Amino acid sequence: MENSQNNGSKRILLIVALILGLGALGAGAWGFSQQKAKASLQAENETMSQELSSLNELKEDLATEVDSLESAYQALAGENETLQGSLADAQSALARKDAEIKANRSNRLNEVNGLKGEIQQLLAEKANLEQVIGDLQAENQELKERTGQLERDLSSARTENTSLGNLNKTMQSELKRLTLANFKASGFQVEVEARKPKATAASGKARRVKVSFDLIDVPQEYQGLRPVYMVITDDKGVPIQGSNIQEKATVNGASMDIMAVKAKDVNITATQRLSFSHELEEKLRDGFYRVSVFTDIGMLGASSFRLQ
């Protein structure tokens, strides 16, 4: 029984000891936990102190920047007010300038339109003057050419007149020397015809030479059957091609040779109209020619013609 009680006491003591041991262990654990928490709080406190110090420094910096910004703002506000006034003045000046420009533009537009009209008129006058100048230049060129041609024609005419004058002098001299006072032709005419019976003065078209003349009041001693010769020479006295009839004529006792293109026997009467016609063997060149008609006792008459 006693052993049972002893065993029960021991068991109780053991339980108490276990409880006390567990309590001490729990107290140690709590103390350790409290110490750890305190260390953690101290560390956090130090960290917060450092952050607070940093924040105070940041606050001071921000306060300084705010002061600077306020100063800058005041300066910018003053500058803005000044600029606003300058802008208003500039806008006003710009408005006045714009109005002035518009007025000037309107005036310039009117001037430009006026100048365009004047330019168009000047261009028209220029074109007209150019046309007139062109016409005058063409006319002057034509006049120069005509003047040159006239000068050449004048020179040629002078040469021809000289040749004609010499031809006429020779012809008149021969008429006086070779014709008889009472046996000579009157109304002496020379005609040059083309291929058809039509008069021409073109050397390229001349195909025929015709001569006609009158014999009036021929003395009895010169009447009767006589040979009549047609002679054609150039301005130098050279017979033309086809002058193949060679004869002699006796005038005032002097004999002379003639080269005729045509010959025929004619019964000379007191009054009559005679004619000759000769077909040219080749074209005659430009120039003066002389046609003479002879009998066996002298020249009846002569005349000249010109081919161009």
Side-chain angles (χ1 to χ4, degrees):
M1 177 95 172
E2 185 176 356
N3 288 333
S4 297
Q5 291 178 348
N6 288 333
N7 287 335
S9 297
K10 289 180 180 180
R11 189 178 295 113
I12 291 168
L13 290 171
L14 181 59
I15 291 171
V16 171
L18 285 173
I19 291 170
L20 291 173
L22 289 172
L25 184 61
W30 178 82
F32 179 77
S33 176
Q34 289 296 317
Q35 186 178 1
K36 187 177 180 181
K38 181 179 180 181
S40 177
L41 287 174
Q42 287 178 350
E44 289 179 359
N45 187 34
E46 290 178 359
T47 300
M48 290 183 67
S49 295
Q50 291 177 356
E51 289 180 356
L52 181 61
S53 177
S54 297
L55 289 175
N56 286 329
E57 291 178 358
L58 179 61
K59 176 183 176 183
E60 291 177 357
D61 292 339
L62 289 175
T64 301
E65 290 181 4
V66 168
D67 290 340
S68 298
L69 289 174
E70 286 181 352
S71 298
Y73 171 77
Q74 294 297 329
L76 289 174
E79 184 179 0
N80 180 263
E81 185 177 355
T82 302
L83 290 175
Q84 288 290 340
S86 299
L87 178 62
D89 293 340
Q91 288 176 340
S92 178
L94 182 62
R96 290 194 302 271
K97 195 65 178 178
D98 186 56
E100 182 180 350
I101 289 173
K102 288 182 179 179
N104 289 334
R105 183 182 298 170
S106 178
N107 294 332
R108 291 291 183 271
L109 182 61
N110 293 333
E111 291 179 4
V112 168
N113 291 333
L115 288 173
K116 285 183 178 178
E118 293 178 4
I119 289 171
Q120 291 297 326
Q121 183 178 358
L122 289 173
L123 288 174
E125 292 178 359
K126 176 187 174 186
N128 186 42
L129 287 174
E130 288 176 346
Q131 180 65 38
V132 171
I133 289 171
D135 293 342
L136 287 176
Q137 288 176 339
E139 185 177 351
N140 288 343
Q141 183 62 33
E142 182 180 357
L143 287 174
K144 287 179 181 178
E145 293 175 357
R146 290 176 60 185
T147 300
Q149 184 61 44
L150 289 174
E151 289 176 351
R152 292 189 292 271
D153 291 345
L154 179 59
S155 177
S156 177
R158 287 173 178 169
T159 302
E160 291 174 355
N161 286 338
T162 301
S163 299
L164 181 60
N166 294 334
L167 182 63
N168 286 334
K169 287 180 181 180
T170 301
M171 189 170 61
Q172 293 300 323
S173 175
E174 289 184 351
L175 282 173
K176 290 180 181 180
R177 182 170 58 87
L178 300 177
T179 59
L180 300 173
N182 52 359
F183 184 35
K184 60 184 178 180
S186 61
F188 201 96
Q189 294 181 344
V190 177
E191 294 179 357
V192 181
E193 293 182 342
R195 188 178 301 278
K196 294 181 179 180
K198 183 178 180 181
T200 183
S203 60
K205 294 182 179 180
R207 295 291 182 274
R208 189 180 305 106
V209 179
K210 296 177 67 176
V211 177
S212 60
F213 55 91
D214 294 319
L215 294 176
I216 300 175
D217 296 333
V218 178
Q220 182 67 38
E221 59 185 297
Y222 301 135
Q223 296 180 20
L225 189 63
R226 288 186 179 280
V228 181
Y229 308 104
M230 178 182 181
V231 177
I232 303 176
T233 60
D234 61 16
D235 57 349
K236 297 178 178 62
V238 179
I240 67 170
Q241 185 71 25
S243 301
N244 52 12
I245 302 174
Q246 185 173 1
E247 294 292 340
K248 288 184 179 292
T250 302
V251 181
N252 296 325
S255 178
M256 64 174 293
D257 294 327
I258 58 175
M259 293 293 294
V261 295
K262 200 82 172 179
K264 64 180 178 179
D265 293 329
V266 178
N267 185 22
I268 304 298
T269 60
T271 300
Q272 64 191 135
R273 178 96 179 154
L274 298 179
S275 63
F276 277 86
S277 179
H278 172 67
E279 300 289 333
L280 298 171
E281 293 184 5
E282 63 177 18
K283 294 179 182 180
L284 299 179
R285 60 178 177 80
D286 297 354
F288 289 96
Y289 294 86
R290 183 177 67 175
V291 179
S292 305
V293 177
F294 289 86
T295 66
D296 58 340
I297 57 174
M299 180 187 290
L300 293 178
S303 182
S304 63
F305 66 91
R306 179 188 178 190
L307 293 178
Q308 297 177 331

